[in-house]
Amino acid sequence: MSEAPTGMGEARVDQLVSLAKRRGFIFPSSEIYGGINALWDYGPLGVPLRNRVRQSWWRRVVEARDDVEGLECSIIMNPKVWVASGHVDTFSDPLVDCLGECHQRWRADHLKGDRCPTCQGPLSPPRQFNLMFKTFLGPVEDQSAAVYLRPETAQGMFVNFKNVLNTSRQRIPFGIAQIGRSFRNEISPGNFIFRSREFEQMEMEWFCEPEDDLRWFEYWCQDQMAWLQGLGLRPENLRLRPHTPQELSHYAKGASDIEYRFPWGWGELEGIARRGDYDLRHHQEASGRDLTYLEPQGGRRYLPWVVEPAIGVDRTVLTLLLDAYDEEEVRGERRAVLRLHPSVAPYQVAVLPLSRKPELVEPARRLEAALRREFATDFDDTQSIGRRYRRQDEIGTPLAVTVDFDSLQDHAATIRERDSMAQVRVGFDQLAAACRERLGG
Ligand code: GAP
């Protein structure tokens, strides 16, 4: 499925990983102990970026509508859930072992040839490896206490379908949405935070009439594409790709991925699936509970069909960082800049007094406190102004406000725009309005 990257190479990913660590976006988990494979921690700048992604999705999919309800489920659920959903039997990838020197394990469908990529040794025949993490509930570690960490948030919405229906006054069509952690013991994680073993999903189950599912499927494909572009992702780096019949998940009647042009080729960013009544039907059979929907005024009774947009917070963050990362030469010097959309940038406005002298720091602090009421702000009086601009460029801050010695006379500061580096002098009393206008708010 992947194509040759255009204009972005693997080196770009390495640069981004290094920037993410150096500037406090993303650290390897438990780093002082040598890290742990495919697990990551988000630092002071990664947290606001993640939060903005979550908030933007939640606002669009839940709060801005009157037909979607929110839910937060426990991560560990009754293990019967995962039997009924089909995950115990089918949520697996083909695993091969290297029979040569290195004994590494590989995901068979990710390999190009039939030899071990590391030592060129022969490989075992593939066997299915279930991706769910298993643990034990309570003090006894036997099979009767075995439970799973959820591999998707979706099942929480299905098993709570009746709870939400009965408590919310919703009628078909309506949705139930959830943002939360999921866990998969991926055989071949990698590409930074693209595929990890613990990640966060934003999923919505849209319950509709069976005859309507195709129409809603198209609706949600368009909606999600528009949302991603609204986050600032370049349209030429996004595409909608229908699944081939061989690719479809065990529950899906049809599906499309919104793919992003990653440096290693096109890859899934979001999956939008037509799940039919697969989940409700299986949970109804396994639990013995009636999960049908009765139309008002004694209409027909049926199991609703489901359309599901499902996207990872982490994968969205990675995409935003890759899409925004740019390098250019400015007056003979290399400038690295994250051209993040103002709605996701960790800071929107940085306030920088030209010197650390109290007569500049104090008014700059006051300005920052005023701007903080409306914008996400940063204050920095540490190094030379050039280095501070470079830092703000690298962390994606769209505007920097510099307070200099002239400010004491003219009660004005300089706004510098990250992308154009254009500078404009603005009176203190006009600063908030000028920032608002430039940030598009
Ligand atoms: N409920 C359907 C479902 O989970 P999926 O395509 O397996 O579908 C949805 O996952 C999204 O979750 C993916 O498009 C991706 O953004 C994210 N995702 C899945 N596995 C991931 C992993 N190992 N690491 C990071 N993100 C992952």
Side-chain angles (χ1 to χ4, degrees):
M1 285 310 132
S2 64
E3 290 177 12
T6 52
M8 300 193 293
E10 299 291 339
R12 191 183 174 85
V13 182
D14 293 342
Q15 276 158 346
L16 191 70
V17 175
S18 140
L19 183 151
K21 178 156 181 249
R22 189 160 31 87
R23 293 302 189 187
F25 283 92
I26 302 167
F27 310 119
S29 167
S30 338
E31 197 188 4
I32 60 167
Y33 290 103
I36 175 166
N37 199 359
L39 295 163
W40 301 91
D41 294 342
Y42 287 78
L45 296 186
V47 170
L49 177 54
R50 266 173 87 84
N51 279 341
R52 296 200 210 302
V53 168
R54 284 198 201 101
Q55 283 157 4
S56 169
W57 187 89
W58 195 255
R59 175 92 202 121
R60 183 178 182 102
V61 175
V62 184
E63 288 174 352
R65 312 178 57 103
D66 60 5
D67 51 9
V68 178
E69 303 289 338
L71 191 71
E72 281 192 32
C73 300
S74 59
I75 285 171
I76 296 174
M77 303 172 77
N78 188 313
K80 290 178 186 162
V81 168
W82 305 108
V83 178
S85 69
H87 284 79
V88 168
D89 281 343
T90 55
F91 195 60
S92 52
D93 282 332
L95 173 84
V96 288
D97 296 283
C98 168
L99 303 176
E101 280 166 19
C102 76
H103 302 293
Q104 264 179 279
R105 292 178 156 179
W106 303 97
R107 206 173 128 174
D109 56 337
H110 282 181
L111 293 180
K112 293 224 163 29
D114 57 359
R115 310 292 290 186
C116 170
T118 301
C119 73
Q120 304 307 315
L123 297 170
S124 70
R127 61 195 156 85
Q128 288 301 317
F129 173 78
N130 195 291
L131 301 186
M132 285 195 292
F133 281 99
K134 222 176 191 175
T135 184
F136 300 95
L137 200 68
V140 184
E141 295 197 2
D142 67 16
Q143 194 49 36
S144 66
V147 290
Y148 302 99
L149 303 189
R150 68 178 175 203
E152 61 171 17
T153 65
Q155 296 305 320
M157 274 80 94
F158 297 123
V159 301
N160 278 291
F161 170 67
K162 271 289 168 89
N163 282 338
V164 175
L165 181 67
N166 293 339
T167 53
S168 69
R169 301 187 310 277
Q170 290 289 353
R171 291 284 165 260
I172 295 288
F174 76 97
I176 310 178
Q178 166 160 228
I179 300 181
R181 296 267 170 173
S182 294
F183 303 80
R184 296 183 190 176
N185 201 1
E186 300 279 1
I187 300 169
S188 55
N191 283 331
F192 195 23
I193 52 172
F194 178 81
R195 187 174 286 109
S196 351
R197 292 192 167 120
E198 175 179 345
F199 53 98
E200 195 163 41
Q201 289 185 306
M202 305 183 280
E203 299 197 286
M204 199 269 291
E205 310 304 321
W206 179 256
F207 299 93
C208 62
E209 292 185 69
E211 311 65 59
D212 261 0
D213 91 308
L214 202 51
R215 182 168 71 83
W216 285 115
F217 172 71
E218 280 157 15
Y219 170 90
W220 285 109
C221 287
Q222 297 316 316
D223 179 87
Q224 288 299 285
M225 188 63 108
W227 173 67
L228 288 165
Q229 291 182 15
L231 290 182
L233 292 176
R234 282 177 263 187
E236 66 270 25
N237 288 338
L238 291 168
R239 73 177 186 191
L240 190 67
R241 188 184 63 78
H243 277 203
T244 61
Q246 297 75 32
E247 279 178 280
L248 286 179
S249 303
H250 60 275
Y251 50 74
K253 293 190 177 306
S256 285
D257 285 344
I258 297 182
E259 294 190 328
Y260 180 77
R261 194 200 304 260
F262 290 97
W264 54 90
W266 289 97
E268 175 183 344
L269 168 58
E270 168 155 13
I272 300 149
R274 295 171 54 212
R275 297 181 78 123
D277 63 2
Y278 179 94
D279 304 271
L280 289 181
R281 181 172 297 285
H282 282 81
H283 287 306
Q284 178 167 270
E285 282 164 16
S287 68
R289 297 290 186 93
D290 174 16
L291 298 182
T292 54
Y293 173 77
L294 177 62
E295 283 177 346
Q297 277 96 44
R300 66 179 172 150
R301 181 180 281 285
Y302 61 94
L303 281 172
W305 280 29
V306 169
V307 173
E308 173 198 70
I311 183 164
V313 174
D314 313 81
R315 213 171 272 187
T316 309
V317 165
L318 174 62
T319 312
L320 289 171
L321 290 173
L322 284 166
D323 215 64
Y325 186 76
D326 196 13
E327 281 183 18
E328 60 184 11
E329 204 162 296
V330 179
R331 290 185 288 280
E333 276 194 40
R334 189 189 74 99
R335 176 172 96 119
V337 52
L338 272 186
R339 300 190 194 278
L340 289 171
H341 191 275
S343 66
V344 292
Y347 300 122
Q348 296 172 306
V349 184
V351 178
L352 316 172
L354 194 63
S355 113
R356 293 187 100 168
K357 294 221 163 79
E359 64 256 45
L360 289 194
V361 169
E362 281 161 21
R365 283 264 181 217
R366 280 198 297 276
L367 274 184
E368 197 243 352
L371 292 170
R372 189 179 281 267
R373 286 191 218 121
E374 191 175 342
F375 310 105
T377 58
D378 188 23
F379 183 89
D380 188 2
D381 62 358
T382 50
Q383 304 158 314
S384 75
I385 192 71
R387 287 177 84 115
R388 281 182 277 162
Y389 281 150
R390 247 187 333 261
R391 171 170 186 274
Q392 296 299 337
D393 287 345
E394 272 202 342
I395 66 177
T397 311
L399 300 177
V401 171
T402 307
V403 177
D404 55 27
F405 289 100
D406 289 344
S407 305
L408 302 177
Q409 265 74 52
D410 66 2
H411 302 285
T414 301
I415 297 183
R416 173 188 180 268
E417 291 183 0
R418 173 196 69 200
D419 293 344
S420 64
M421 291 182 288
Q423 303 200 2
V424 56
R425 195 83 180 159
V426 176
F428 286 168
D429 55 349
Q430 292 301 310
L431 266 179
C435 290
R436 199 177 307 130
E437 188 187 314
R438 284 168 176 75
L439 295 169

